[in-house]
Structures are given as structure tokens and as C-alpha cells.
Amino acid sequence: MSKAFKPPVHHQSYLDRKIPTTMATQHPDNARAPYWKTNNDPFISTLDEIEECYRTYTDLGCQEYMWDWEGKYVDEGVVDKLFSLYHPYFSENQLGKDVFLTFRLPNIWYEKEYRIARAYIGILTFEELSRDLGLNSPPVFEVILPMTDEAQKMIYLKTTFRKIAKLKSQVFDETMEASDPSYLQVIPLIEGVPQLAASHNILMEYADLHQKEYGSKPSYLRPFIARSDPALNAGFIPATIAAKVALSEYYKFGQESGIAIFPIMGVGSLPFRGGLNPFTVSQFLDEYPGVRTVTLQSAFRYDYPLDSVKEAIHSLNRALPFTKPLTYTEEEIAMGERLAQIFSTIYQETVEEIADAINQISAHIPPRRERKLHIGLFGYSRGIGQKRLPRAISFTGALYSLGVPPELIAIGRGIEAAIKENLEDALFMFCRHLKEDLRHAGHYLNRENLRFFASGNPAWERVLEDIIIAEKYFKLELGPVTTEHYLHRNIVSSIYFLTQEEKDISPYLFDAALLRRSLG
């Protein structure tokens, strides 16, 4: 069985670097307007994000803010503006020492490299500005590489950054004594179920390449586990299992290599995307022990009472450094991989057949940030089989707005298959709070809508079968319980009928999102 893991003892110098525990992000999943906006507009423009970053530190107590260059427009002078507008605060709370700003870069293997060079120049000039102001330098020294699948790509970022730094110094006749151009640290964001399963190998290769290139292994690593895209691509259960296995493998890697490991997990408020919101902190800490930093996305920060948000962030800041990670044996990991295969096969076959309905609704999900289209030169699309799918937030929001939460897809048939292969105990070893998660998602089930869908598409009929099996297995009845749940059910009924008549559903999508406290 899995057991508590005792992390290795590292040199004190490794631990002198403060590791932030709560990372606010720009994920556009909020339904409500931010509490600090005066016009009650839920849309957060690029100009708004400077104030948002500042308030994240000062009002909420988050320790880190992700500045997202991937697939969206971004203010490239962020540090200049923060220092100019809020100089007294950053004089007392040093950026890069007390609070942190971390860039998520575009993945140039999927998205053209136009903006990554601008990000590099920004990081270098921010260092110069900070030094001239007598503040901590460098203020930005970590970058996130999305869709990491090879260690060499992490090294490439460090190498190209160093080249840009040297070129800048040569062009402007600067000495290199003031700073070390190799200070940039790369955070691998690992997003697919197969990639998460292989992430131990990615880290090991990175440590070896780092040793060869720089003469030493990295002093620490913050591997970043995605929860949303793995769920979109493979389903709720496989995403949960993959995250658990990755966590276990990271700590094993840390023990083998002597490198300090501080895993990050990217989670949304609804169970499908990780299930962390201000009301589920205790459950999340028990489900994912060993996570050292969590993302607090827009819905977490803006769709719940402000006092509850602050209290939850305070609790996370106190608890996350001390949760004891679990490790799994090779046999247990093999069972987890088999479970992921079972559930993902059923899920993918089903989603491919209902993708048209998902895409129809997702096109109307209201935008919350200035995103670029994920096509062509500016990004990359998601998909299953022959079908293109929206991003995870819109995907999740569309299915909730249809009254069929994605957590329910494949759950019943997957459980039956797991029982046949004697994997029932393994399922609950990896998914500690599965019943609670299904109950939460099930409150937003609209059974009438699902029956309408099932009458015209056998794939929806199989989802109805999933629900019947799960209800019998867990001895619970899925459906609305509170007034808010019933109101949500009524609104998504309206969405169904208005969609049949090709009428505007946008106001109804917004109202439903308000009730479930997240777009998706």
C-alpha cells in the first residue's frame, strides 16, 4: 500500500530560497466580476491585470502570480508598472524574494517564437531596473514551459536566454559582472496523462543535461502538474491518477538525485479540473498530499465570499509546506496505469461522439481575458480523435451548462470494468474522495436534458448508463439538493430548449455559472 514519504535532507542553501505556496493565475474561469472592479464587469482586460497582480499580494495573501504569455495578450512592461504604481509596497515586499512573479512562456515547439524573445528581454531589463532602484534583483527568475515533454526543451530555454543576455551586454557595452545570465530557472508544466506518467524520466534527463551544461545539477525543481488538460483529454479518473503517480515519482526522483522537489499543481474550482475552491481546502489537502504550490484561478478568487477566500488562502499557505507525500510501489503504479487506460478509453470514445454538442455550447461561453485564438501562428488546439475541442474551461462549462457534468462521463462503465479486473481497491487508493467529488458534480445533473440527448444519440445514452451504475454503486441519488442547485437545473433546461430553437443562450450561461461559482 502507499505510504508516507520522508523527503531527503538537503543543504540549507537549497532551502534559503523561499518556495511560494499559493500562485494566483489568469485562467479565465470566473463568473463574477473581481471584487476590486468598480464597474461590475467580469471581463479582466490586459490593463486590469497589473492591479489584479498587486491586489493578489496585498488583499488576498497570495505569494506568487503567474504572468501568462501563453495564448493571450500580455502587458510586457509589468514590472516597470508595478514598481512605478506601487513602489512603497515593493520596497517593503521585495519582488523575487518576498513575493513572486512567474512567467508562463509560449511553447515555441507549438507556437511561433515571436513573443518569447520579448519575454527574455523583459526579464533582463527588469533585473537592471530593480538593481538601479536598489531592490532585490532579479525580480523575475522562473519561467513555466507549458506542454513539457522533453528535458532538452528546458535546457534550450536556459541556453537561449543566456545567449540573449550576452548579446544584450555586447550591444550596450555592459559588463557581465552585475548578474549571472544563467539564473533563469525553468518549471516544466506537464499536461498529458502519458507525459505525466513519464515525467520522472524527463526530470532525470534534465538533471543530467544540466550537470553537463552548467557543471552542477539544479539546486531545486518545481515540476508543475496540470489537472485540466489531462482531464479534458482522458477524463476525470485518469487525470487524478496521473497526478498522484507524478507526485509520487517526483519525490522518488528527489530522493535519488538529491535535488529539492517542490511540486506545483494547476487546479480549478470544479472537481473535473482539480476541485480546489475555498470550501474544499481540507479535502484537497487530503487528496493531494505533497503538493507544495497550488494555482488559485480566477473563480477561486472572485466567485466566493471574500472572507472565505482570504481564510482559505491563509490555510493553504500554512498547510502546504508540511503535507506528507505518498509514494506508490511499481505494482500500484501499474494498477493505476491500467485504471487510467480503462477509463480513458471509455471517456474518449464517448466524448468524440458528443463533441458537436459541446462545441455548440462552448462557442457561447463568455470570454474573461484577452485570449488569442488557439489556431495557426498563435497557438494550438485540443482534440480527441477526429474532433476538435475547446479549451478545458469552455469544455467543462459547456457540459455543466448542458446539465451533464463531465465528471460523470465513463464513471459507471469504468467502475464496472475495474471491478471485473480486481482493481476496485486500487481505484479508491488513488481517488480518495471519489464519492464526494461525484456528489458535488451530481448536484448539477439535469436528468431530463440527458434523456432528451439520449433519445437522439447512443453516446448520451451510455452516459445515462454511467449515472445509473454510479448511483447504485455509491448508494446515492445524483441531482439538485439546495435552492441554488434547483435554479441551476431550471436554467440549463432553458439552455437546452433555446439551443433547439437557435436562440441566444448567453445570459443563461452566465446565470448558471454564477450559481455553480465558476464558468467551467
Side-chain angles (χ1 to χ4, degrees):
M1 291 296 292
S2 56
K3 58 184 183 300
F5 178 78
K6 184 177 181 181
V9 177
H10 300 288
H11 296 298
Q12 186 60 40
S13 60
Y14 290 5
L15 303 179
D16 286 343
R17 184 262 192 263
K18 176 183 175 181
I19 301 297
T21 51
T22 45
M23 175 195 288
T25 74
Q26 297 171 340
H27 287 83
D29 62 347
N30 57 297
R32 297 181 185 277
Y35 63 89
W36 42 266
K37 289 192 73 173
T38 57
N39 61 1
N40 204 35
D41 183 0
F43 186 83
I44 301 170
S45 71
T46 301
L47 294 175
D48 292 328
E49 288 171 345
I50 298 291
E51 180 178 0
E52 178 183 55
C53 178
Y54 167 71
R55 286 182 172 272
T56 291
Y57 302 137
T58 58
D59 295 353
L60 303 183
C62 287
Q63 299 171 349
E64 185 172 17
Y65 187 94
M66 179 197 292
W67 202 252
D68 198 351
W69 291 67
E70 185 208 10
K72 67 181 290 294
Y73 294 98
V74 65
D75 191 323
E76 297 174 16
V78 52
V79 173
D80 302 55
K81 290 184 178 180
L82 288 174
F83 286 169
S84 175
L85 293 170
Y86 310 111
H87 186 265
Y89 173 81
F90 289 105
S91 295
E92 295 293 324
N93 302 272
Q94 300 280 297
L95 195 59
K97 180 182 178 183
D98 303 309
V99 292
F100 299 87
L101 185 70
T102 302
F103 282 10
R104 179 162 74 164
L105 299 180
N107 184 314
I108 61 173
W109 292 271
Y110 294 90
E111 181 175 347
K112 289 291 185 178
E113 64 271 15
Y114 306 130
R115 294 183 302 139
I116 196 170
R118 302 206 296 265
Y120 283 166
I121 291 296
I123 292 170
L124 290 165
T125 55
F126 297 155
E127 182 207 21
E128 193 173 2
L129 171 65
S130 189
R131 188 169 5 102
D132 290 346
L133 291 173
L135 302 176
N136 177 72
S137 180
V140 178
F141 59 90
E142 288 182 316
V143 295
I144 298 165
L145 174 62
M147 302 180 73
T148 299
D149 54 6
E150 295 180 31
Q152 183 60 51
K153 293 177 181 179
M154 298 169 65
I155 293 293
Y156 180 84
L157 292 188
K158 290 178 69 72
T159 301
T160 51
F161 178 78
R162 193 172 194 177
K163 289 178 179 178
I164 294 290
K166 289 183 176 180
L167 179 61
K168 176 178 176 291
S169 69
Q170 292 168 3
V171 170
F172 294 102
D173 296 321
E174 301 166 345
T175 65
M176 297 300 293
E177 296 176 0
S179 64
D180 175 7
S182 66
Y183 65 76
L184 192 74
Q185 301 298 317
V186 180
I187 297 171
L189 172 52
I190 302 173
E191 302 191 42
V193 168
Q195 288 77 21
L196 284 168
S199 55
H200 179 283
N201 296 335
I202 294 173
L203 298 190
M204 188 64 75
E205 185 181 358
Y206 178 67
D208 292 341
L209 290 171
H210 200 283
Q211 176 80 49
K212 293 175 184 176
E213 184 73 22
Y214 299 103
S216 65
K217 293 179 180 179
S219 59
Y220 71 94
L221 276 170
R222 300 178 70 197
F224 195 147
I225 300 169
R227 269 293 281 102
S228 293
D229 276 353
L232 184 153
N233 292 324
F236 174 58
I237 298 297
T240 304
I241 294 172
K244 295 289 190 68
V245 170
L247 272 174
S248 172
E249 292 297 285
Y250 293 160
Y251 281 100
K252 289 179 185 176
F253 163 79
Q255 189 176 40
E256 294 166 6
S257 65
I259 297 172
I261 296 295
F262 303 98
I264 306 170
M265 185 172 287
V267 289
S269 293
L270 296 171
F272 189 72
R273 297 183 53 241
L276 176 61
N277 64 62
F279 299 156
T280 61
V281 169
S282 296
Q283 179 177 315
F284 179 86
L285 292 171
D286 185 64
E287 187 72 75
Y288 294 105
V291 173
R292 295 294 176 246
T293 306
V294 292
T295 62
L296 306 181
Q297 300 183 5
S298 303
F300 184 108
R301 306 196 306 274
Y302 304 138
D303 287 338
Y304 292 82
L306 186 57
D307 287 345
S308 298
V309 173
K310 292 180 179 180
E311 183 180 349
I313 293 172
H314 180 65
S315 296
L316 288 165
N317 286 336
R318 285 187 304 171
L320 282 169
F322 306 108
T323 60
K324 294 182 178 180
L326 301 176
T327 56
Y328 300 103
T329 66
E330 291 185 8
E331 181 183 1
E332 289 169 338
I333 291 173
M335 290 190 290
E337 290 174 346
R338 176 57 186 150
L339 280 167
Q341 183 182 43
I342 289 170
F343 279 89
S344 64
T345 298
I346 299 168
Y347 168 88
Q348 289 169 350
E349 290 174 352
T350 305
V351 168
E352 186 172 7
E353 293 183 48
I354 65 175
D356 290 343
I358 296 169
N359 287 326
Q360 181 183 14
I361 299 299
S362 68
H364 299 278
I365 299 289
R368 291 295 184 255
R369 304 271 175 169
E370 295 184 55
R371 281 205 172 275
K372 294 176 179 287
L373 291 176
H374 263 53
I375 56 173
L377 295 176
F378 295 114
Y380 34 86
S381 61
R382 273 72 170 171
I384 289 179
Q386 300 300 311
K387 298 290 187 177
R388 296 297 92 191
L389 293 172
R391 293 180 67 96
I393 292 169
S394 295
F395 174 89
T396 307
L399 280 163
Y400 267 87
S401 299
L402 291 171
V404 188
E407 295 87 343
L408 307 180
I409 297 174
I411 186 65
R413 288 169 290 163
I415 287 174
E416 280 194 335
I419 291 172
K420 288 179 182 177
E421 296 193 24
N422 296 316
L423 293 172
E424 184 179 8
D425 290 342
L427 174 62
F428 291 98
M429 177 184 67
F430 285 109
C431 303
R432 292 180 165 189
H433 294 275
L434 180 54
K435 185 174 182 177
E436 291 89 341
D437 287 335
L438 291 180
R439 181 184 285 115
H440 180 110
H443 288 153
Y444 300 97
L445 170 65
N446 184 315
R447 209 175 295 261
E448 184 181 46
N449 276 13
L450 180 54
R451 290 196 178 103
F452 286 141
F453 291 128
S455 65
N457 185 331
W460 288 111
E461 190 173 351
R462 291 192 289 273
V463 177
L464 184 58
E465 178 188 346
D466 283 323
I467 292 166
I468 293 169
I469 294 169
E471 287 180 319
K472 182 178 180 181
Y473 180 83
F474 288 107
K475 295 181 174 60
L476 56 79
E477 183 178 352
L478 301 179
V481 174
T482 68
T483 299
E484 288 187 344
H485 298 153
Y486 280 104
L487 290 172
H488 188 278
R489 184 197 64 181
N490 293 344
I491 290 170
V492 300
S493 288
S494 298
I495 290 171
Y496 172 82
F497 288 109
L498 290 169
T499 301
Q500 307 309 303
E501 299 178 7
E502 298 184 355
K503 292 184 177 179
D504 182 25
I505 59 173
S506 300
Y508 297 88
L509 293 174
F510 174 67
D511 289 342
L514 288 175
L515 288 167
R516 64 177 178 267
R517 302 179 187 271
S518 178
L519 273 184

